Amino acid sequence: MCIYIYTVFGCGHVVWGRRIQRCSIAKSDKRSTGCAKRQPHAHRPRKFVRKCEKCLNLHTTLIKIKAGIAECKATLQLACLMDGTEKGRVDAKGEGDEKTHNKVSRNVHNTG
């Protein structure tokens, strides 16, 4: 097994760095790619408190999606109030009155 530097992020993801030492298989192999197995160097891990780039991007996307869902709920409540039905209110779980929901969705499709 070749020995590599590795980085551990606060989210738990691990990123492998450059190779520090080649194993006997990699030394006997004429290619410079080395063996398929990696062993972390015990004395040189890099540890970051922050999240990795993938988790940061996922968190940003999740915030945008939650904002879009909140906007859709507000639009649905506004449509129900304009329709004059108070039963069509949507609760925090996103559940509302079934009859009013069907009536509002028909009105939305007919106006388009």
Side-chain angles (χ1 to χ4, degrees), residues 12-85:
H13 287 120
V14 176
V15 177
W16 293 96
R18 64 181 176 87
R19 182 176 54 205
I20 296 176
Q21 184 179 10
R22 295 173 68 181
C23 65
S24 59
I25 297 170
K27 288 178 183 175
S28 65
D29 192 10
K30 293 181 181 179
R31 294 175 285 157
S32 63
T33 57
C35 64
K37 296 183 179 178
R38 295 180 178 182
Q39 179 180 356
H41 190 276
H43 301 292
R44 292 193 178 183
R46 297 179 196 157
K47 295 183 180 180
F48 292 118
V49 179
R50 68 177 180 89
K51 294 181 180 180
C52 68
E53 290 297 320
K54 288 182 181 179
C55 289
L56 288 174
N57 291 338
L58 181 66
H59 182 70
T60 305
T61 305
L62 186 62
I63 289 173
K64 289 178 183 178
I65 289 172
K66 284 183 178 182
I69 290 171
E71 183 180 338
C72 289
K73 284 182 181 180
T75 304
L76 180 61
Q77 287 179 352
L78 181 63
C80 290
L81 290 176
M82 290 175 69
D83 190 29
T85 57

Side-chain angles (χ1 to χ4, degrees), residues 1 3 8 27 34 41 44 52-53 58 70 87 96 102 104-105:
M1 285 189 260
I3 299 175
V8 180
K27 288 178 183 175
H41 190 276
R44 292 193 178 183
C52 68
E53 290 297 320
L58 181 66
K87 292 182 181 178
N102 290 335
V104 170
S105 63

Side-chain angles (χ1 to χ4, degrees), residues 76 79 103-112:
L76 180 61
K103 186 176 181 182
V104 170
S105 63
R106 276 185 299 203
N107 289 341
V108 170
H109 292 296
N110 290 338
T111 58

